[in-house]
């Protein structure tokens, strides 16, 4: 059974490198390190900011949330673009709400060591633990 681990840096001085080393010593080979993002429960008092997204959301993938809401990815659930209860995915993807939502997703050049989510590597679910840790040094 494949084992993946994700470490999210939340506080300054958090021992992320030590945690990674500990997991590697236990035999975990797929370790992902990310930062806390100001979306969802980690959002500050203000509204969620689309600039916190990785930029891959909605590009070749989407999320259908438990209530039927369609969003570009699970991390962008604050950007609903339709409901599967009110139409097909094809209708939603070709509709103005999806187009308007996708205009809000930031476009970024992607680096293979980018700590942001990398959907599609082995689960297509946008989980931060979807790729091996990368050491750009």
């Amino acid at each position: 059974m494949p084992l993946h681990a994700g470490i999210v840096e939340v506080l300054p001085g958090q021992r992320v490198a030590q945690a990674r080393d500990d997991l590697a010593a236990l035999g975990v080979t797929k370790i992902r390190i990310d930062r806390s993002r100001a979306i969802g429960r980690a959002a500050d008092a203000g509204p969620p900011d689309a600039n916190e997204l990785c930029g891959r959301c909605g590009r070749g993938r989407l999320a259908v949330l438990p209530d039927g809401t369609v969003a570009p990815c699970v991390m962008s659930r604050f950007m609903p673009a339709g409901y599967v209860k009110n139409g097909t995915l094809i209708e939603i993807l070709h509709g103005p709400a999806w187009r308007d939502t996708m205009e809000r997703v930031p476009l970024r050049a992607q680096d293979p060591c980018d700590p942001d989510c990398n959907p599609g590597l082995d689960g297509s679910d946008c989980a931060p633990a979807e790729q091996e840790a990368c050491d750009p040094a």
Side-chain angles (χ1 to χ4, degrees):
M1 179 178 304
L3 177 62
H4 302 255
I7 302 168
V8 178
E9 186 172 5
V10 178
L11 303 170
Q14 188 174 328
R15 297 178 303 175
V16 172
Q18 182 181 358
R20 185 194 181 292
D21 292 345
D22 288 348
L23 288 166
L26 292 170
V28 180
T29 59
K30 294 193 179 242
I31 305 167
R32 185 103 170 128
I33 299 172
D34 201 358
R35 63 178 173 81
S36 178
R37 301 175 180 284
I39 53 180
R41 292 180 301 191
D44 294 331
D49 183 356
N51 286 316
E52 288 289 294
L53 301 172
C54 74
R56 295 179 189 101
C57 307
R59 292 170 179 46
R61 62 199 41 87
L62 59 78
V64 178
L65 305 177
D67 68 352
T69 299
V70 178
C73 77
V74 296
M75 300 291 280
S76 66
R77 61 182 65 230
F78 61 92
M79 299 169 61
Y83 292 91
V84 293
K85 297 174 184 177
N86 298 337
T88 67
L89 283 177
I90 294 294
E91 291 168 338
I92 293 168
L93 293 174
H94 287 88
W98 182 261
R99 189 172 39 255
D100 292 346
T101 299
M102 289 305 298
E103 286 178 6
R104 295 175 51 206
V105 175
L107 290 174
R108 295 185 186 7
Q110 299 302 321
D111 177 328
C113 296
D114 184 357
D116 293 329
C117 75
N118 193 2
L121 277 175
D122 61 11
S124 297
D125 64 358
C126 209
E130 289 292 341
Q131 81 180 44
E132 288 186 43
C134 187
D135 183 4

